[in-house]
Amino acid sequence: MVASNVPMARDQAVFAARSRLAGARRRFVGHDLPPLGSLIVRHQVTVPDGVEWPWARVSSWPHPALLRGRSLTDGTHPSLAHIRMGLPLRIHSDDLVDWAIIDARGEIVTGAWTRRLRAPAASPT
């Protein structure tokens, strides 16, 4: 991917994920996931000089604006000491940049548009 195309690819991936987010929530709340499958989300966290996009497994989504989950990754920036694998998180839907439904083997069934992108250096629009 050419460097000048990276922001455009990032923005397109985030747009694709966000435009389908209501459907992902509907499937999660309606228990319409593959047997032993999960919904995972990638959320944006601002750090000095940029953002990080850690993944989390959704455990509940009681309101469209807020979900609960467990971190699947550690935050790498020192200001993200609270984001550690396995720890609970409260995530605002506005901070979601991607999502994926995975099956019992951990294979992506749908989603994960940002998986081929490098870590973001700036906030998506």
Side-chain angles (χ1 to χ4, degrees), residues 12 16 23 34-35 49 53 56 80 82 121:
Q12 289 173 343
D49 301 321
W53 287 2
L80 299 180
H82 64 286

Side-chain angles (χ1 to χ4, degrees), residues 66-78:
L66 182 69
L67 63 90
R68 290 186 174 85
R70 293 210 174 260
S71 184
L72 292 173
T73 56
D74 291 344
T76 59
H77 191 274

Side-chain angles (χ1 to χ4, degrees), residues 7-22 53 96-99 113-114 117 124-125:
M8 184 171 35
R10 179 195 63 217
D11 292 347
Q12 289 173 343
V14 171
F15 178 81
R18 287 181 174 168
S19 67
R20 295 166 175 88
L21 186 59
W53 287 2
L96 298 180
V97 294
D98 202 358
W99 58 269
W113 291 270
T114 63
L117 299 176
T125 54

Side-chain angles (χ1 to χ4, degrees), residues 49-121:
D49 301 321
V51 296
E52 287 192 26
W53 287 2
W55 286 95
R57 174 172 280 133
V58 178
S59 55
S60 68
W61 203 337
H63 187 274
L66 182 69
L67 63 90
R68 290 186 174 85
R70 293 210 174 260
S71 184
L72 292 173
T73 56
D74 291 344
T76 59
H77 191 274
S79 67
L80 299 180
H82 64 286
I83 298 180
R84 293 291 174 250
M85 185 181 283
L87 290 182
L89 296 170
R90 289 174 32 121
I91 303 168
H92 293 275
S93 296
D94 289 345
D95 294 330
L96 298 180
V97 294
D98 202 358
W99 58 269
I101 293 174
I102 58 173
D103 64 17
R105 298 178 318 247
E107 299 290 327
I108 297 167
V109 174
T110 188
W113 291 270
T114 63
R115 71 182 174 268
R116 290 188 178 91
L117 299 176
R118 293 180 181 249

Side-chain angles (χ1 to χ4, degrees), residues 12-63:
Q12 289 173 343
V14 171
F15 178 81
R18 287 181 174 168
S19 67
R20 295 166 175 88
L21 186 59
R25 180 179 185 270
R26 197 169 28 258
R27 285 187 68 181
F28 177 80
V29 172
H31 305 286
D32 186 24
L33 301 178
L36 302 177
S38 300
L39 174 64
I40 61 174
V41 295
R42 197 171 197 186
H43 57 107
Q44 177 175 291
V45 182
T46 302
V47 297
D49 301 321
V51 296
E52 287 192 26
W53 287 2
W55 286 95
R57 174 172 280 133
V58 178
S59 55
S60 68
W61 203 337
H63 187 274

